[in-house]
Amino acid sequence: MTTIHLSVPEEAGPRVRFGAELLRRSLLGLGFSVQEAGPLTLAGYRKLDGIKIAVGDRRGCSFIRELEEHDVLLYHSEAPEGEGFYLAKLPGQLFVVAGGGDTGTLYGCQELAALAQDRGELPGELAFGDAPAMKLRGPVVPLQKTKVEPPRRTYEYPITPDRFPWFYDQSLWLAFLDRLLEQRCNVIYIWTGHPFSSLVKLEEYPEALEVTEEEFARNADLFRWLAEQCDCRGIWLVVKFYNIHIPLPFAEKHGLDLHQPQPLPITSDYHRKAISAFIRSYPNVGLMVCLGEALQGALYGAEWFNDTILAGVKEGLKELDRKELPPIIVRAHAIPSEKVMEAALPNYANLFTEAKFNGESLTTFTPRGNWQETHRHLGSLGSIHLFNVHILANLEPFRYGAPSFIQKCIQAAKYRLGTNGLHLYPLFYWDWPYSPDRTTPRLLQMERDWLWFAAWFRYAWNPDLDPKLEREYWIGELAGRYGSREAGEAILDAYEASGECAPKLLRRFGITEGNRQTMSLGMTMSQLTNPERYRPWKELWESQAPQGERLDLYVERELRGETHIGETPVDIADNVDDHADKAERAVERARPFVTRGREEFERIASDVSAIALMTRSYTHKVRAAIRILAYKRRSGSDYLTNAELLEEALPDFRKSLDHYRELAALTERTYLYANSMQTPQRRVPFPDGEKYAHWQACLPHYEEEYANFSAHVSQLMKGKLPRKAMKSERELVPYEQAAFKLLSRNAELYEVRNQAKLFTDGEILASQVAEELAGLTGIRFSREEAVKEGVSLELELMEPARVLIGYFNSADAEWLKVPNLEENTHADDRGGLTPVIKNGMSVFFYPNVNVHAFAYEPGRHTVVIGRGAYVVVGVIKANQIMRVRDLAGASSSETLDWLYEK
């Protein structure tokens, strides 16, 4: 038996020792005898008979430094730094694993162990260096649930065994951590709303603890153990939290809302002390900060981050003797981060920024427009900038494994966006660690979606691997799982082809790249032909898609005989139909060659079929929508002309429904639900993500939509105009005033009427107000103050009411913007995102005003909306019916939505 002498420096840290142990086990498995060797020297290492392996950080290991100084160890590539490593076989049967740091040494040991395993022996010649292309590489592990727990709100889940039993399963964690080490991940992002109330106790705020003493002790023990297990594998444990979120019992004791829009002395003091205690308690754990959503980041982001968060971190570090500062990551979400980072960079040496890659979906490997500029700017600030592959609302719930698409995404992240790190979500985020497959027991995402994780992390290490060689690599990986090269090649082809469908469909036809839309559940015809009704998110096609045309623009150019530019709806429909066909053929090509993993192969085949059915349901509906939009353009308001275009739409409309019926039947057998976030934030295709979580729940609405359309077309073809197509205006009913008091001293009441002065400063006058608004009591304040600092209002409501907020129709920075679910999950907690009266107020020399209605319960309220000018045009009783209309735009008949309604 051959003996190997393994030398590890006495002062080696846990990562180096862990790597050496990995190497030792691998060598023992190959039949070698492995003995520990003491410190080696240049003069003495040849005195040991047999093979020697020296492992160490080249800056801290005296033997490796000695080899370098005497030119015995030379590097033909760059000398290893940080996580880089170099493997060499030197004279005297000496192998060297030289790391640029402790983690680099760990990766070098891992690489040498893999080489030995592949060959069955140590290599005869060896000179190889490697290093990661991206600074941070790792997955998100969510401590989240699929449903909200009132009175808590989205994201707010104390860490307890009943909520997250998997969190306490150490064997599950070890399996996951070992998998991440195999893929050379160096970070895990634990995603939660407010972790401190489950992980630290404060003498000053005992009410902030949201778990029992027993649960707290268990949490602390588990978290320390997890941090240690991560650390020895070269993985930073990073905990994410939102601002300003506070614990429920703390909020109740102090009479505060769970989510605070601006700093208060008590919330700042609590957060600073909580963060300080957290840093002291868990010194190997970093923090990820989301300043957006609840906090008015434009106003208070820099102040809160520097004066509260970083102040708390520094206080905690004072008592620790550390050579590495924990990473602090600032998430660029719903805030302008320039001022935040400008103030923070001089204060802390290990700062990162992060922003989403394609929003909350995967749509393209060539992001452009505003979002490309956002990334480039963040990448230029002097800190490390990460890209975040977020919720994947268009991919869930199906498997995704298109390595070539993923490789191009990472190349784009590096070269187009200027990022240097990966922050990767699982495919079915809100239900981690389980997949949505209808199986007993539940499948684990880390197993089901192994290819998703493996591809992203492989290319985060090196995005520029040769595509031809990569194809062979993935064929080999799949062949190992399914028994033959033929099976592996065909399954890879199926993954690659089906992986093109959802990205292309959403970017051309979707309402949003956010988790407001569950794409696999389809879209209504109204959402395709009248998207403005559903507040489409323009960044989807202006930033998260190549240049191209939406349906309405395509039809307009087609009818005018104009040249089309970029992707057209027809291009994409034909293209994804072809992808779906190829994927189905590839799966069938694989079937006879699958000799291993048959059960999972059949699930892959089922997913390919489901994606193909979803794709065809979309493409046929799109082709029908093109004819409907052509009818709209040609007919004007004479709905009896050109009705044959609607009749021509019927076959494709019917085929779309037929494919959706098949999809609903298939997924009833295979999936528990389509969307992992089952909350009211899900709005497309139908509102309420819990009620409409499965294709079967949506099918009746699509059946009814087609039946209504078919009936209306039949009437029109007979020369009969449906009643809903007739322009008849119902009698307008004025809104009824609610009883309230204005408590703010910086504002005053006024009567809403024509010629009314809208702000306390300047002469900005209403030229015309909607009949429903006339006579209401509005609230006005300084426009200058609203633009520069933002104006909050203190109100006392004597009854349930709706506060009517007027937003000016302008993208200019001086005007307040309507909140949106793409940036703020709680944007619609009080309703009001959709205007009740579009263009409800005209203003002399200024943009028109859209009126939105936000619901409030009786009591005192602080209305904090943000920076920018807006108007309050009334406080009305909550129970009255509000007719939705547009004083300047299209009537409901002109949108053609009546075609799909009873």
Side-chain angles (χ1 to χ4, degrees):
M1 180 181 293
T2 302
T3 298
I4 295 177
H5 302 278
L6 182 61
S7 174
V8 180
E10 293 180 357
E11 68 279 7
R15 298 178 194 179
V16 175
R17 295 195 176 279
F18 194 88
E21 178 61 18
L22 283 177
L23 181 56
R24 186 185 73 85
R25 290 179 188 173
S26 176
L27 295 171
L28 288 173
L30 293 174
F32 291 102
S33 171
V34 182
Q35 295 183 4
E36 289 187 21
L40 301 178
T41 64
L42 181 60
Y45 82 86
R46 286 176 177 269
K47 296 177 182 178
L48 276 176
D49 290 333
I51 298 171
K52 282 79 63 178
I53 300 178
V55 168
D57 169 1
R58 60 183 287 258
R59 299 193 185 283
C61 176
S62 58
F63 179 49
I64 293 177
R65 287 205 312 272
E66 195 177 12
L67 291 170
E68 290 180 357
E69 290 166 0
H70 287 81
D71 286 351
V72 177
L73 175 59
L74 298 169
Y75 303 113
H76 75 283
S77 58
E78 290 187 4
E81 299 288 342
E83 293 181 328
F85 61 86
Y86 193 89
L87 308 180
K89 185 180 180 184
L90 303 178
Q93 291 188 289
L94 173 64
F95 288 84
V96 174
V97 178
D102 283 4
T103 306
T105 308
L106 166 62
Y107 292 154
C109 291
Q110 180 190 49
E111 182 72 16
L112 183 56
L115 287 172
Q117 286 290 338
D118 289 344
R119 303 179 185 203
E121 61 183 2
L122 287 168
E125 298 292 334
L126 183 60
F128 173 71
D130 204 1
M134 294 203 160
K135 180 74 173 177
L136 287 184
R137 312 164 304 281
V140 172
V141 173
L143 281 166
Q144 303 287 351
K145 306 291 286 182
T146 60
K147 298 178 177 66
V148 175
E149 297 180 355
R152 291 184 173 90
R153 299 163 76 182
T154 308
Y155 310 131
E156 309 302 333
Y157 304 99
I159 305 171
T160 58
D162 59 320
R163 290 184 178 88
F164 306 106
W166 60 266
F167 184 71
Y168 303 88
D169 185 341
Q170 293 187 354
S171 62
L172 181 68
W173 273 116
L174 289 175
F176 188 51
L177 295 179
D178 286 341
R179 178 75 58 84
L180 296 182
L181 175 57
E182 288 174 15
Q183 296 164 351
R184 294 185 185 160
C185 294
N186 63 354
V187 62
I188 291 179
Y189 311 89
I190 302 289
W191 199 275
T192 182
H194 188 76
F196 310 115
S197 59
S198 299
L199 294 170
V200 296
K201 290 195 297 185
L202 301 176
E203 292 183 8
E204 302 91 330
Y205 300 106
E207 70 277 9
L209 188 66
E210 292 196 88
V211 297
T212 66
E213 291 290 340
E214 181 182 358
E215 289 168 340
F216 169 75
R218 190 174 177 186
N219 287 346
D221 288 344
L222 188 283
F223 217 71
R224 290 190 184 97
W225 171 85
L226 180 59
E228 290 170 0
Q229 292 299 321
C230 286
D231 184 51
C232 69
R233 291 168 174 81
I235 297 172
W236 273 107
L237 185 62
V238 172
V239 176
K240 148 80 179 53
F241 63 101
Y242 281 88
N243 289 280
I244 302 174
H245 291 199
I246 56 178
L248 178 63
F250 179 90
E252 290 175 338
K253 177 174 180 178
H254 299 283
L256 299 172
D257 189 78
L258 270 174
H259 295 173
Q260 291 292 303
Q262 62 189 33
L264 299 173
I266 190 171
T267 57
S268 183
D269 187 62
Y270 161 69
H271 272 83
R272 190 173 60 255
K273 287 184 168 64
I275 290 168
S276 176
F278 183 85
I279 293 294
R280 291 194 305 272
S281 301
Y282 310 102
N284 291 323
V285 180
L287 293 173
M288 184 173 188
V289 181
C290 181
L291 295 170
E293 300 212 1
L295 177 66
Q296 295 291 333
L299 298 178
Y300 308 110
E303 170 192 342
W304 183 259
F305 183 65
N306 286 278
D307 298 347
T308 297
I309 293 172
L310 285 186
V313 171
K314 289 180 177 180
E315 287 177 14
L317 289 171
K318 285 179 182 176
E319 300 180 20
L320 300 175
D321 180 20
R322 300 184 56 89
K323 66 176 181 180
E324 286 185 281
L325 292 176
I328 308 296
I329 305 168
V330 180
R331 185 178 181 224
H333 173 65
I335 66 160
S337 55
E338 294 86 346
K339 290 185 178 179
V340 174
M341 296 304 295
E342 181 182 344
L345 283 169
N347 291 334
Y348 196 81
N350 200 21
L351 283 179
F352 298 76
T353 55
E354 176 260 34
K356 297 173 185 175
F357 182 63
N358 284 169
E360 295 173 341
S361 299
L362 187 65
T363 58
T364 181
F365 47 79
T366 52
R368 61 191 181 96
N370 291 336
W371 207 233
Q372 182 185 15
E373 292 308 311
T374 295
H375 277 284
R376 285 178 172 174
H377 175 73
L378 291 171
S380 71
L381 294 179
S383 61
I384 300 298
H385 179 52
L386 317 176
F387 75 102
N388 169 213
V389 180
H390 206 67
I391 292 289
L392 293 317
N394 66 325
L395 303 187
E396 62 182 19
F398 305 121
R399 289 156 178 77
Y400 188 94
S404 64
F405 195 101
I406 291 171
Q407 183 177 16
K408 287 190 282 282
C409 287
I410 295 191
Q411 288 170 333
K414 180 180 178 183
Y415 298 116
R416 283 186 65 81
L417 305 184
T419 72
N420 195 19
L422 169 63
H423 177 241
L424 179 71
Y425 267 53
L427 280 171
F428 207 69
Y429 170 81
W430 297 94
D431 207 14
W432 180 270
Y434 305 109
S435 85
D437 299 76
R438 192 183 291 276
T439 62
T440 303
R442 298 279 299 275
L443 300 180
L444 294 173
Q445 292 186 56
M446 59 182 279
E447 298 297 339
R448 188 197 86 151
D449 299 324
W450 68 272
L451 184 52
W452 170 260
F453 293 110
W456 284 102
F457 296 137
R458 179 174 176 81
Y459 298 124
W461 180 270
N462 184 356
D464 296 321
L465 296 168
D466 186 314
K468 292 181 181 178
L469 298 179
E470 285 305 286
R471 176 172 172 80
E472 291 302 312
Y473 171 82
W474 292 113
I475 288 172
E477 290 292 297
L478 289 162
R481 287 177 174 260
Y482 299 104
S484 68
R485 176 183 170 80
E486 292 85 354
E489 185 173 21
I491 292 169
L492 178 62
D493 289 343
Y495 267 126
E496 294 280 22
S498 63
E500 296 282 350
C501 294
K504 290 179 178 178
L505 285 170
L506 186 72
R507 74 192 191 202
R508 207 74 274 144
F509 309 120
I511 296 294
T512 173
E513 37 78 337
N515 61 25
R516 181 161 55 103
Q517 176 169 5
T518 304
M519 201 207 80
S520 66
L521 292 177
M523 290 173 65
T524 67
M525 189 62 85
S526 172
Q527 287 160 354
L528 289 173
T529 60
N530 183 26
E532 288 302 316
R533 175 178 174 181
Y534 305 92
R535 300 187 70 234
W537 183 244
K538 292 184 179 180
E539 286 297 304
L540 169 59
W541 58 91
E542 291 181 355
S543 290
Q544 317 300 356
Q547 181 63 258
E549 298 171 359
R550 301 278 286 176
L551 276 164
D552 53 352
L553 179 59
Y554 169 79
V555 170
E556 182 179 334
R557 286 179 173 169
E558 187 74 6
L559 293 178
R560 291 178 179 175
E562 296 176 354
T563 301
H564 296 290
I565 300 173
E567 289 182 345
T568 72
V570 173
D571 291 338
I572 291 299
D574 292 344
N575 193 221
V576 294
D577 277 343
D578 185 53
H579 289 312
D581 291 343
K582 286 180 177 177
E584 287 186 311
R585 291 197 301 270
V587 160
E588 291 310 309
R589 195 171 79 243
R591 193 178 298 279
F593 299 103
V594 175
T595 61
R596 192 181 305 154
R598 170 65 66 173
E599 193 172 4
E600 177 59 15
F601 168 76
E602 293 299 339
R603 295 191 190 104
I604 294 172
S606 175
D607 273 7
V608 167
S609 295
I611 292 169
L613 289 168
M614 175 194 75
T615 297
R616 292 170 189 137
S617 180
Y618 266 100
T619 58
H620 282 293
K621 205 162 195 173
V622 163
R623 293 182 179 104
I626 288 171
R627 290 178 172 84
I628 294 169
L629 287 170
Y631 163 79
K632 176 182 177 181
R633 291 282 180 185
R634 288 179 174 175
S635 299
S637 58
D638 184 0
Y639 302 121
L640 293 177
T641 63
N642 297 298
E644 67 277 2
L645 288 169
L646 298 181
E647 191 173 43
E648 291 172 8
L650 277 169
D652 274 312
F653 205 156
R654 183 169 55 251
K655 288 177 184 176
S656 170
L657 179 59
D658 289 343
H659 288 302
Y660 197 89
R661 287 194 189 106
E662 290 185 63
L663 176 61
L666 173 62
T667 53
E668 188 175 28
R669 301 189 302 272
T670 56
Y671 278 100
L672 297 169
Y673 25 69
N675 50 317
S676 62
M677 185 186 192
Q678 296 168 33
T679 66
Q681 283 77 17
R682 294 282 184 168
R683 296 298 182 90
V684 179
F686 305 109
D688 192 341
E690 182 174 4
K691 184 177 180 181
Y692 297 102
H694 199 280
W695 298 263
Q696 287 288 343
C698 300
L699 179 60
H701 293 275
Y702 291 129
E703 301 265 12
E704 182 180 3
E705 174 190 60
Y706 174 77
N708 293 338
F709 180 80
S710 180
H712 285 314
V713 171
S714 178
Q715 278 187 290
L716 291 168
M717 291 302 293
K718 294 175 183 177
K720 296 179 180 180
L721 193 63
R723 181 174 298 175
K724 281 202 173 187
M726 301 177 187
K727 292 184 179 180
S728 59
E729 297 290 337
R730 297 193 300 263
E731 182 180 352
L732 295 172
V733 178
Y735 292 155
E736 189 175 353
Q737 181 79 43
F740 77 97
K741 289 181 181 178
L742 174 63
L743 306 178
S744 298
R745 295 184 178 180
N746 62 338
E748 63 186 31
L749 304 177
Y750 74 100
E751 181 185 353
V752 178
R753 56 177 175 78
N754 294 344
Q755 308 296 317
K757 184 179 177 181
L758 300 179
F759 297 96
T760 56
D761 52 350
E763 292 296 318
I764 299 180
L765 306 178
S767 61
Q768 185 176 0
V769 300
E771 293 94 322
E772 301 95 315
L773 306 176
L776 292 176
T777 300
I779 303 171
R780 61 190 173 200
F781 39 80
S782 166
R783 175 174 169 269
E784 183 179 359
E785 182 183 353
V787 172
K788 290 183 176 179
E789 300 176 11
V791 169
S792 60
L793 298 173
E794 293 281 344
L795 302 177
E796 184 175 358
L797 304 177
M798 283 63 177
E799 58 185 310
R802 295 184 186 275
V803 178
L804 303 181
I805 304 294
Y807 292 88
F808 287 79
N809 268 318
S810 173
D812 292 344
E814 64 184 295
W815 307 111
L816 182 70
K817 304 302 181 290
V818 181
N820 60 75
L821 287 168
E822 278 71 22
E823 294 183 345
N824 184 353
T825 303
H826 295 280
D828 207 25
D829 283 358
R830 295 190 176 278
L833 283 194
T834 301
V836 290
I837 312 178
K838 286 186 176 182
N839 301 289
M841 179 182 289
S842 300
V843 183
F844 286 110
F845 309 115
Y846 287 91
N848 286 353
V849 173
N850 289 342
V851 178
H852 296 243
F854 296 91
Y856 285 84
E857 63 277 6
R860 294 183 63 151
H861 296 277
T862 301
V863 180
V864 183
I865 299 181
R867 184 163 59 187
Y870 64 98
V871 292
V872 178
V873 295
V875 181
I876 65 172
K877 295 188 176 182
N879 58 0
Q880 60 195 295
I881 296 174
M882 292 181 292
R883 177 183 167 192
V884 178
R885 67 189 189 111
D886 186 347
L887 269 65
S891 67
S892 59
S893 62
E894 291 169 344
T895 66
L896 299 189
D897 279 355
W898 53 270
L899 281 169
Y900 325 121
E901 300 168 354
K902 280 189 178 181

